[in-house]
């Protein structure tokens, strides 16, 4: 099967979600705790990534406030993924950035020439309305029953978003060889102390 190369998906994505949920996963993984890197910090880098991912359409780089919103939306989604992996439910304030996006933008209904009906950000809306796409993808994944499989790694220093394809749906680590064993060893050491 031919794989589509998507420049906005991290090269090391070992447990990718199906499209379009992969978009939400890659958005969350623009922050890499392991490397301490953040693709949504520098306006030029963020502009490139957001444009490639189809989340930004303006002919200019995002303003600092727009990037701030994108990063806070990202952490709100991550809080939901922590809950998906059996962690605590998001605190009331955690999801505020998502509410702000939902209230500031109105999705537009579109019909393609082929008769495909879709919902997306209004092209005439503010450029940062592109993140509304993420909310629509989340809604569809929740309706389709696959949302619970997009999780945040159980290692608090990692929190990488991964798609749990395990039959039982109880996967807890982005990668058992690194994070899983690291946490297990740490717990073992704590018990031995
Ligand atoms: Zn991890």
């Amino acid at each position: 099967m031919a794989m589509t190369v998507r420049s906005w998906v991290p090269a090391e994505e070992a447990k990718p979600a199906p499209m379009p949920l992969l978009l939400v996963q890659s958005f969350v993984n623009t922050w890499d705790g392991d490397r301490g890197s953040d693709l949504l910090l520098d306006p030029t880098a963020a502009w490139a990534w957001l444009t490639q991912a189809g989340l930004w359409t303006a002919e200019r780089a995002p303003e600092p406030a727009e990037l701030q919103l994108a990063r806070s939306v990202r952490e709100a989604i991550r809080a939901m993924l922590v809950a998906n992996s059996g962690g605590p439910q998001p605190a009331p304030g955690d999801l505020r950035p998502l509410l702000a996006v939902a209230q500031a933008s109105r999705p537009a209904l579109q019909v393609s020439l082929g008769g495909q009906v879709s919902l997306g950000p209004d092209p005439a809306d503010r450029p940062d309305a592109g993140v509304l796409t993420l909310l629509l993808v989340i809604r569809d994944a929740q309706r389709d029953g696959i949302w619970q499989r997009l999780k945040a790694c159980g290692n608090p220093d990692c929190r990488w978003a991964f798609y749990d394809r395990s039959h039982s749906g109880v996967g807890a680590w982005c990668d058992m060889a690194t994070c899983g064993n690291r946490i297990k060893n740490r717990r073992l050491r704590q018990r031995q102390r």
Side-chain angles (χ1 to χ4, degrees):
M1 199 175 73
M3 287 281 288
T4 316
V5 176
R6 296 185 173 96
S7 59
W8 44 270
V9 178
E12 63 273 52
E13 197 62 81
K15 298 180 178 176
M19 274 294 281
L21 193 54
L22 180 60
L23 187 60
V24 177
Q25 179 183 19
S26 299
F27 181 75
V28 170
N29 288 340
T30 53
W31 178 80
D32 185 341
D34 212 31
R35 286 193 192 144
S37 64
D38 188 344
L39 287 172
L40 299 183
L41 212 51
D42 170 66
T44 310
W47 187 15
W49 190 88
L50 289 167
T51 302
Q52 284 163 17
L55 297 175
W56 184 268
T57 52
E59 297 282 318
R60 61 165 179 82
E63 307 275 348
E66 291 164 337
L67 277 185
Q68 172 75 50
L69 176 72
R71 289 194 302 271
S72 62
V73 163
R74 179 182 64 194
E75 297 321 308
I77 297 174
R78 197 189 314 276
M80 294 162 78
L81 302 190
V82 167
N84 282 355
S85 22
Q89 288 296 314
D94 288 348
L95 301 185
R96 209 170 287 144
L98 297 182
L99 288 174
V101 169
Q103 285 163 2
S105 315
R106 298 219 170 278
L109 204 52
Q110 278 144 12
V111 183
S112 75
L113 288 175
Q116 194 70 33
V117 183
S118 64
L119 202 57
D122 188 334
D125 210 338
R126 299 164 14 236
D128 60 349
V131 289
L132 188 67
T133 303
L134 299 170
L135 287 185
L136 294 169
V137 171
I138 292 171
R139 185 208 57 157
D140 288 348
Q142 291 174 339
R143 181 200 54 202
D144 297 345
I146 61 168
W147 172 245
Q148 299 298 325
R149 289 193 173 265
L150 190 61
K151 301 177 174 184
C153 176
N155 177 357
D157 298 329
C158 173
R159 291 292 187 234
W160 185 262
F162 69 98
Y163 190 74
D164 182 8
R165 290 184 189 271
S166 69
H167 187 66
S168 53
V170 294
W173 318 106
C174 70
D175 178 29
M176 193 62 205
T178 55
C179 285
N181 289 333
R182 207 180 289 165
I183 292 286
K184 278 188 176 166
N185 290 341
R186 193 187 296 172
R187 285 190 187 138
L188 191 66
R189 278 197 302 274
Q190 278 165 351
R191 265 198 301 269
Q192 284 166 344
R193 236 176 260 147

